[in-house]
Amino acid sequence: DIAIKLANTGHLTFSTLHTNDAPSAISRLFKIGVEPFLLAQALNIIVAQRLLRRLCKKCRQPAGGIDDHVLARLGFSQDDAEEATLFKAVGCPDCVEGYKGRVAIHESLYITPEIRELIIESNDRVDVDLIRATAFAHGMQTLRSSGLQLVKKGITTIEEVASLTVQA
């Protein structure tokens, strides 16, 4: 309540919520009692983030034999699956089970005029799926697609991305 009041009086306000993705934060705020017209005016951007384990550069090895159907279900296109060299965690004295350090992935939901209108029009239920679809239409990248970019670069594994993200 205080954060929303501060944001609506022009103060730059940051807060954290636990949700699976950025659009779900709008629904969570609504469910804890924030009115849609207050939400629409208070929000500018919502960022979801996760920390993934980074592959050890010394011991990572190419992962072979990953089924194309599995890759497609995770979001890889056919071209991506053919071009990318996927790596697996191995383990060496310099790392922990093939991983060393962390890397962040992000999903940013900009509150555009269209999304603001969708929030205002929410009566007794916020339509997260419609907000998500509108955000995708405006170019929002999901946590999963952010993670898959790191897989393609050999920074993390497909298993790490699959375990820490949800398919939108």
Side-chain angles (χ1 to χ4, degrees):
D1 189 43
I2 293 170
I4 296 296
K5 288 178 183 174
L6 283 171
N8 280 325
T9 57
H11 293 84
L12 180 60
T13 308
F14 295 93
S15 183
T16 60
L17 291 170
H18 295 276
T19 61
N20 288 333
D21 60 3
S24 298
I26 296 169
S27 176
R28 179 70 49 88
L29 288 166
F30 179 75
K31 288 177 183 175
I32 63 173
V34 181
E35 293 294 330
F37 70 93
L38 291 173
L39 275 177
Q41 296 308 312
L43 298 174
N44 290 318
I45 187 172
I46 299 171
V47 179
Q49 59 186 2
R50 299 284 183 281
L51 287 176
L52 303 180
R53 294 180 297 172
R54 182 186 294 266
L55 277 168
C56 175
K57 292 180 182 178
K58 292 183 179 178
C59 68
R60 70 180 183 176
Q61 292 180 356
I66 298 176
D67 190 342
D68 288 344
H69 296 293
V70 172
L71 294 176
R73 282 188 46 225
L74 291 171
F76 269 88
S77 69
Q78 185 64 31
D79 291 339
D80 290 340
E82 292 171 1
E83 293 174 11
T85 301
L86 305 180
F87 290 91
K88 64 181 179 180
V90 177
C92 69
D94 289 343
C95 65
V96 178
E97 297 177 2
Y99 295 97
K100 187 172 184 174
R102 301 270 179 169
V103 62
I105 56 173
H106 302 89
E107 171 180 291
S108 299
L109 169 62
Y110 293 94
I111 308 300
T112 63
E114 293 87 355
I115 292 175
R116 197 173 308 279
E117 191 62 32
L118 291 173
I119 296 169
I120 291 171
E121 292 173 358
S122 300
N123 293 325
D124 58 343
R125 184 181 163 276
V126 174
D127 190 346
V128 175
D129 293 330
L130 183 57
I131 291 171
R132 185 178 292 112
T134 305
F136 287 149
H138 288 103
M140 183 180 82
Q141 177 180 326
T142 65
L143 284 168
R144 171 130 330 150
S145 62
S146 177
L148 291 178
Q149 288 178 10
L150 297 179
V151 170
K152 292 174 195 174
K153 294 177 183 176
I155 295 172
T156 193
T157 63
I158 196 81
E159 294 84 7
E160 186 74 1
V161 172
S163 70
L164 291 174
T165 62
V166 294
Q167 186 67 24

